[in-house]
Amino acid sequence: TMGNIMFDGKRIDGLDAADIVKAGIVQIMEGRQIFEELTVEENLRTGLYNQSVVDKGFSLDKIYDYFPPLKNRKNLVAGYCSGGEQQMMVIGRALLTQPRLLLLDEPSLGLAPLVAKEVFAIIKRLNLEQGVDCLLVEQNAQLALSVSTYGYVMENGLIVLEGTSDELKAHENIQEFYLGGADSEQNRSYRDVKYYSRKKRWFS
């Protein structure tokens, strides 16, 4: 509700969504927003509208290399794809806009654990191999910390802790609240633990 949002030294809050995409920021929204009546490849091609040079950066062939299931389903109506395939589809569509920053909102939502791990492994590969920066919002702390390098813990809209992923994984309160690392014989209710930690300024 206040302040500025800066990207690459320029203020972007208030810009039209299309201009933000052209600046290199692409959001992958929660819930896998696809065009259900289009085919998989038609969904992917909607990400190409922003490309001025189609032979640079991400191409359809490169997307199929990262997401092999999509190549086998490219002529299938997207609404009939599995949740995992649809998640791969929206990530692939976003990559075809040639992003500098991907904003991923709950990419594990509604996915089976093994499928979620597969999707997150691909996200990590994209960061390491293609240099795509990612800002990930995710409630599955174990999964998020396994692929990230730096993290923030938010509670009621406020950042209450930040640090490298290794630092967060080793933090006593993170282990107790999010990673299930506390001694089961000493576990209290979540409400009691949160209240007790709040009185201690939570992450002092």
Side-chain angles (χ1 to χ4, degrees), residues 107-108 112-113 115-118 120-121 136 138-148 179:
S108 74
V115 176
K117 285 184 178 180
E118 181 182 1
F120 272 64
L136 170 70
E138 176 60 53
Q139 292 192 31
N140 186 329
Q142 186 81 52
L143 194 54
L145 292 174
S146 72
V147 300
S148 61
L179 304 181

Side-chain angles (χ1 to χ4, degrees), residues 62-85:
K62 185 171 287 187
I63 297 302
Y64 289 142
D65 286 341
Y66 273 96
F67 303 103
L70 297 185
K71 187 172 185 178
N72 298 328
R73 300 282 194 275
K74 65 180 182 179
N75 294 319
L76 181 68
V77 174
Y80 290 107
C81 291
S82 68
E85 290 165 347

Side-chain angles (χ1 to χ4, degrees), residues 27-36 78 81-91 93 103-111 137-138:
Q27 180 185 13
I28 299 173
M29 294 185 289
E30 176 185 320
R32 302 185 290 276
Q33 305 293 322
I34 64 169
F35 299 104
E36 294 185 353
C81 291
S82 68
E85 290 165 347
Q86 290 181 3
Q87 188 64 67
M88 294 177 186
M89 194 189 315
V90 295
I91 295 174
R93 181 176 64 192
L103 309 178
L104 298 110
D105 189 1
E106 300 281 0
S108 74
L109 184 67
L111 301 184
V137 176
E138 176 60 53

